[in-house]
Amino acid sequence: FAWAAACGAYSLRAVCVGPVPPSAPALHHRQGVAEHQRYPAISPLCKMITFGLTIVRHGETWYNKERLLQGQGVDEPLSEMGVKQAEAAGQYLKDVKFTNVFSSDLQRAKQTAAIIMRSNNHSPGITIICDPRLRERSFGIAEGKPVNSMKEMAKAAGQQCPHFTPPGGETQDQVRSRAKEFIRSLCQRMASEHLACSGPESTDGPPPSACEGDACPPCSSATNSCNHPADGALHLAAHALVVSHGTYMRNVVKHFVEDLDCALPHSLKMSQMFSACPNTGMCRFILTLERNREVAPSAECVFINRKDHLASLREDE
């Protein structure tokens, strides 16, 4: 199931942008730039821009099933189960309007993004922007080997596995720096493309519920989610879909929570916060950039690692 075939079958455009992620020293150098210099200033004609960000992990590959590390050097297509997972994710998100779609430039992520958007009812013909900054962490010499082999390498080096970097691989800090750089550029892009989409400076009240009927409580904020596919984002005029990878997503969540002091749902347990995301698991955030302030956006988490769409696949097994 080649990516080229997928693009042809789904009538979607995919554009790969940007160079391969820069070297570690360059990433480290950019970390030294003041935070207020990294984010876009909003036009004085607009009070603020608020947009949704839904991040989805790619579907399963054979390497995932066999618990082998892929990283960046192993570029495998989705397995049969991975295709089903992506189709289930697409059905779950079919009525969520996405104005922008981004994907890692690795095959498993691009294929997942194409399958998801094939089912979307509101974004026909949208261009999928492939960005190498969304790639999985590089695991160096551990790529293609069992996950346990990296644990053994870490033990031999006298380190714990999450903090261990195999020779030739990326550190967690380098991955997080890549994630922060992408979020900054995403904010710039969303601000430049959707300044007119945030509505008037004042409203007559909160947006209506994302669910219909009295049986479902309002779910327009992260603190009152009701497991609806459009939770928190139904009435947003701008919404980005990003398809990436497990370790990368964990670093994005850490950036929002630890660097941006992201507001969290009351129901979210701390043990779930940085837990491993299943294949095609989803996270959603609402980001707001304020007028004339070159500062990081405020962030609100709607949900972490949601997997409701996978229930039917588990029942079929």
Side-chain angles (χ1 to χ4, degrees):
F1 194 98
W3 162 243
C7 277
Y10 304 153
S11 300
L12 294 167
R13 294 179 59 208
V15 178
C16 290
V17 299
V20 172
S23 62
L27 286 170
H28 181 73
H29 175 74
R30 275 194 296 274
Q31 282 184 294
V33 179
E35 194 72 25
H36 71 274
Q37 295 178 328
R38 297 171 171 177
Y39 286 90
I42 302 304
S43 165
L45 299 177
C46 185
K47 181 177 181 181
M48 65 178 61
I49 178 172
T50 297
F51 65 93
L53 171 61
T54 297
I55 312 174
V56 181
R57 186 187 176 196
H58 64 82
E60 180 198 79
T61 67
W62 179 84
Y63 276 72
N64 289 136
K65 184 178 180 180
E66 298 299 320
R67 293 188 56 77
L68 301 172
L69 289 169
Q70 295 173 98
Q72 299 178 11
V74 176
D75 195 10
E76 283 285 300
L78 300 181
S79 64
E80 181 178 353
M81 175 55 72
V83 171
K84 290 180 179 179
Q85 291 170 339
E87 290 173 343
Q91 285 298 308
Y92 186 78
L93 296 171
K94 66 180 181 179
D95 292 319
V96 178
K97 182 179 179 180
F98 294 111
T99 56
N100 303 75
V101 182
F102 303 88
S103 169
S104 157
D105 62 345
L106 295 176
Q107 188 175 183
R108 56 194 184 272
K110 293 192 295 185
Q111 191 178 346
T112 300
I115 294 173
I116 289 174
M117 294 311 299
R118 176 184 64 181
S119 300
N120 196 272
N121 292 327
H122 301 285
S123 308
I126 195 167
T127 298
I128 299 173
I129 305 297
C130 301
D131 195 317
R133 291 173 298 184
L134 293 170
R135 287 182 183 180
E136 180 58 293
R137 177 189 181 191
S138 170
F139 294 106
I141 65 170
E143 291 182 355
K145 298 178 180 179
V147 173
N148 285 338
S149 68
M150 185 163 157
K151 295 179 180 178
E152 293 169 358
M153 290 182 195
K155 185 177 180 180
Q159 300 180 34
Q160 293 184 342
C161 191
H163 307 294
F164 173 71
T165 301
E170 284 183 291
T171 66
Q172 292 283 9
D173 285 344
Q174 289 167 357
V175 179
R176 187 157 165 176
S177 183
R178 260 201 293 132
K180 291 166 70 174
E181 182 181 324
F182 174 78
I183 295 300
R184 289 193 296 271
S185 68
L186 174 67
C187 288
Q188 178 69 65
R189 189 182 190 108
M190 299 301 280
S192 65
E193 292 184 7
H194 303 290
L195 278 177
C197 294
S198 293
E201 293 197 1
S202 62
T203 60
D204 295 330
S209 167
C211 301
E212 300 294 336
D214 296 334
C216 185
C219 45
S220 60
S221 79
T223 57
N224 198 9
S225 175
C226 61
N227 293 332
H228 188 279
D231 271 353
L234 183 66
H235 298 281
L236 294 177
H239 192 167
L241 171 68
V242 171
V243 181
S244 188
H245 306 264
T247 303
Y248 186 92
M249 287 176 64
R250 193 177 304 172
N251 278 278
V252 171
V253 173
K254 286 185 176 181
H255 171 48
F256 285 151
V257 173
E258 297 177 356
D259 300 332
L260 303 185
D261 196 22
C262 179
L264 301 171
H266 295 314
S267 59
L268 182 65
K269 298 179 181 179
M270 294 304 294
S271 60
Q272 298 174 309
M273 187 91 60
F274 306 128
S275 60
C277 182
N279 289 111
T280 67
M282 306 173 186
C283 300
R284 179 171 296 156
F285 299 88
I286 308 300
L287 303 183
T288 299
L289 292 162
E290 296 186 26
R291 180 178 65 186
N292 292 336
R293 294 188 65 197
E294 294 182 345
V295 297
S298 61
E300 181 182 16
C301 174
V302 183
F303 52 76
I304 296 284
N305 297 348
R306 181 173 286 183
K307 54 183 180 181
D308 300 20
H309 60 289
L310 298 177
S312 59
L313 296 182
R314 291 192 293 268
E315 292 170 0
D316 292 340
E317 290 179 352

